[in-house]
Amino acid sequence: MSDHTADGLRRLVAAFLRTHDPSGDRTGFLRARFDAGLAWVHHPPGRGGLGAPPHLQTVVDDAFAEAGAPDNHPRRNSIGLGMAAPTLLRHATEAQCQRWLRPLWTGEEVWCQLFSEPDAGSDLASLRTRAVRDGDDWVVDGQKVWTSLAHEARWAILLARTDPAAPKHHGLTYFVCDMTAPGVRVRPLRQATGEAEFNEVFLTGVRVPDAHRIGEVGHGWRIARTTLMNERVAIGGRPLPREGGMVGVLARLWRERPDLRTGGLHTQVLRAWVRAEAARLAALRLRQLIAAGQPGPEGSAVKLSFAELSQRISGLEVELRGAEGLRHDDWTMRRPSAPDLLGRTATYRYLRARGNSIEGGTSEILRTIIAERVLGLPAEPRVDR
């Protein structure tokens, strides 16, 4: 096997491409790439990787992209790739990893996240969905909400209460739920944009095999924290080029439409650009720091910054455009896999950005995490403690 260096991995990719046609069968190509350890290179052999340093992932991805190889539709399976996979890798058994990781990475099986509930959003540990042991199965009853991709998902990471008598953080267990199982009902939630990215999910007598339990009974909160920390990095820490994302839309508008400029807005646009660039570099540094381990609470700061910047930038774009910025292009009810922030109108971006301070942990909760776990400030009084 080649050494775990950038040149060594490029040679591995070149050798792989000599025997696998990137223009042929998409699924077969991706399966073979996973089996060759060229999916997540930092994963152990047999789990899509080579045990190589994580920072070399971009070397492999770039080499495949240059060859015109198909990707695994990362936007369509963002929860699976960004949240479920790292959780499974750290906490699942070998048999569970063998069953789920390859079809997750190839995109054959989409994943969603059954965490939030109508009365347990910011205070997730107070959730009420129950899982009761019945032989080799658990019977699950409850309701989840704000579930992205539930309408497309094959599997879901599920947090449920298995011991109602235990303190709320200690009575939870982590499962993988089959979204095609009897008793699972998905209903769309229409948003201010007109679309329904999110769903509410009703679980009525859903049987989950004990073999689909991740970790020990009652240890679900510890495992869920792995998911949540990865979620915040996945939302706020995506790698972007300079002027990538919504700040690029604003900057291009400023350059191309001098008729819209004003002195007051110039200062605001400049400040937004500087903050966006600082946030991009901070996210890049964070990804480098966590490459060899698991995300820490610092991911909360990245996600908080992302939410505030998205709302500030989208608001500036609407203000800069004036009356034309108030036109909404389409109110058609759709159920997309992901928001189209760059392909739609300013109004769409403005409305969609309102949700950034709620999804993946509210900004209020993230500030508390930063204060207590990053800055070391005294904890807020809590009745559940």
Side-chain angles (χ1 to χ4, degrees), residues 21-94:
D21 182 5
S23 63
D25 174 58
R26 178 191 189 91
T27 301
F29 182 90
L30 292 173
R31 287 175 178 172
R33 178 177 166 183
F34 182 94
D35 294 341
L38 297 172
W40 293 296
V41 296
H42 61 287
H43 281 207
R47 297 188 183 185
L50 301 168
H55 70 272
L56 294 176
Q57 183 66 51
T58 56
V59 173
V60 172
D61 291 341
D62 290 347
F64 276 109
E66 289 170 6
D71 65 16
N72 56 355
H73 294 309
R75 283 171 58 83
R76 182 173 177 262
N77 200 13
S78 56
I79 293 172
L81 295 166
M83 302 168 214
T87 305
L88 293 172
L89 180 65
R90 185 171 183 183
H91 298 286
T93 66
E94 181 62 30

Side-chain angles (χ1 to χ4, degrees), residues 75 191 193 195 197 235 238 240 244-250 252 306 310-311 313-314 317 321 329 336 338-356 359:
R75 283 171 58 83
Q191 301 154 238
T193 60
E195 297 181 339
E197 294 170 48
I235 292 175
R238 295 187 182 97
L240 291 172
M246 288 202 291
V247 73
V249 176
L250 180 64
R252 285 191 296 274
F306 164 79
S310 295
Q311 293 174 357
I313 290 168
S314 61
E317 183 190 0
R321 290 183 181 274
D329 57 341
D340 184 11
L341 291 175
L342 304 184
R344 299 286 297 280
T345 61
T347 312
Y348 175 89
R349 284 186 282 275
Y350 177 82
L351 292 173
R352 181 59 184 82
R354 300 306 97 188
N356 293 154
E359 59 192 350

Side-chain angles (χ1 to χ4, degrees), residues 1 25 28 43 67 72 93 133 135 164-165 189 213 243 259 281 316 320-321 326 336-337 363 372:
M1 180 181 291
D25 174 58
H43 281 207
N72 56 355
T93 66
R133 186 70 181 261
L189 282 174
R213 171 174 47 83
E243 293 194 4
D259 56 303
L281 295 174
L316 277 173
L320 183 59
R321 290 183 181 274
L326 301 178
S337 300
S363 293
E372 295 179 5

Side-chain angles (χ1 to χ4, degrees), residues 18-346:
R18 284 195 290 271
T19 56
H20 298 85
D21 182 5
S23 63
D25 174 58
R26 178 191 189 91
T27 301
F29 182 90
L30 292 173
R31 287 175 178 172
R33 178 177 166 183
F34 182 94
D35 294 341
L38 297 172
W40 293 296
V41 296
H42 61 287
H43 281 207
R47 297 188 183 185
L50 301 168
H55 70 272
L56 294 176
Q57 183 66 51
T58 56
V59 173
V60 172
D61 291 341
D62 290 347
F64 276 109
E66 289 170 6
D71 65 16
N72 56 355
H73 294 309
R75 283 171 58 83
R76 182 173 177 262
N77 200 13
S78 56
I79 293 172
L81 295 166
M83 302 168 214
T87 305
L88 293 172
L89 180 65
R90 185 171 183 183
H91 298 286
T93 66
E94 181 62 30
Q96 290 168 336
C97 288
Q98 290 295 326
R99 167 59 187 88
W100 285 315
L101 284 180
R102 187 171 84 159
L104 186 160
W105 187 83
T106 62
E108 295 171 81
E109 294 179 345
V110 174
W111 288 63
C112 67
Q113 180 190 44
L114 297 178
F115 276 25
S116 294
E117 297 183 5
D119 295 319
S122 298
D123 187 12
L124 176 61
S126 66
L127 63 83
R128 298 180 182 178
T129 293
R130 294 280 300 275
V132 178
R133 186 70 181 261
D134 181 22
D136 292 333
D137 294 340
W138 295 81
V139 180
V140 181
D141 290 277
Q143 180 186 355
K144 299 292 184 176
V145 75
W146 312 124
T147 308
S148 302
L149 296 170
H151 54 292
E152 298 182 0
R154 173 66 172 81
W155 298 101
I157 45 179
L158 166 68
L159 197 59
R161 187 164 301 285
T162 50
D163 185 356
K168 65 180 187 180
H169 290 83
H170 300 287
L172 305 174
T173 302
Y174 199 108
F175 300 95
V176 171
C177 176
D178 184 349
M179 291 296 289
T180 67
V184 177
R185 182 163 64 93
V186 178
R187 189 166 70 182
L189 282 174
R190 198 173 190 191
Q191 301 154 238
T193 60
E195 297 181 339
E197 294 170 48
F198 305 113
N199 305 271
E200 50 187 347
V201 179
F202 299 89
L203 305 164
T204 307
V206 179
R207 301 190 74 86
V208 177
D210 187 57
H212 290 184
R213 171 174 47 83
I214 307 298
E216 299 298 322
V217 174
H219 291 189
W221 183 250
R222 180 175 63 87
I223 300 169
R225 286 178 60 181
T226 299
T227 305
L228 294 172
M229 288 188 293
N230 278 284
E231 178 182 31
R232 288 157 192 165
V233 174
I235 292 175
R238 295 187 182 97
L240 291 172
R242 175 174 287 186
E243 293 194 4
M246 288 202 291
V247 73
V249 176
L250 180 64
R252 285 191 296 274
L253 178 65
W254 181 266
R255 296 185 184 108
E256 295 169 2
R257 294 289 302 277
D259 56 303
L260 300 177
R261 301 175 191 167
T262 68
L265 283 176
H266 177 266
T267 300
Q268 294 185 57
V269 170
L270 181 59
R271 285 177 176 168
W273 191 97
V274 171
R275 289 190 64 183
E277 180 63 8
R280 184 185 74 85
L281 295 174
L284 176 62
R285 180 174 181 272
L286 175 63
R287 294 184 73 89
Q288 292 172 341
L289 288 173
I290 67 177
Q294 288 294 320
E298 297 83 2
S300 297
V302 170
K303 194 272 175 181
L304 174 64
S305 177
F306 164 79
E308 292 189 339
L309 272 170
S310 295
Q311 293 174 357
R312 179 187 295 265
I313 290 168
S314 61
L316 277 173
E317 183 190 0
V318 170
E319 185 176 357
L320 183 59
R321 290 183 181 274
E324 70 178 68
L326 301 178
R327 301 192 190 103
H328 194 57
D329 57 341
D330 191 355
W331 202 260
T332 303
M333 165 63 172
R334 300 188 185 90
R335 303 180 76 182
S337 300
D340 184 11
L341 291 175
L342 304 184
R344 299 286 297 280
T345 61

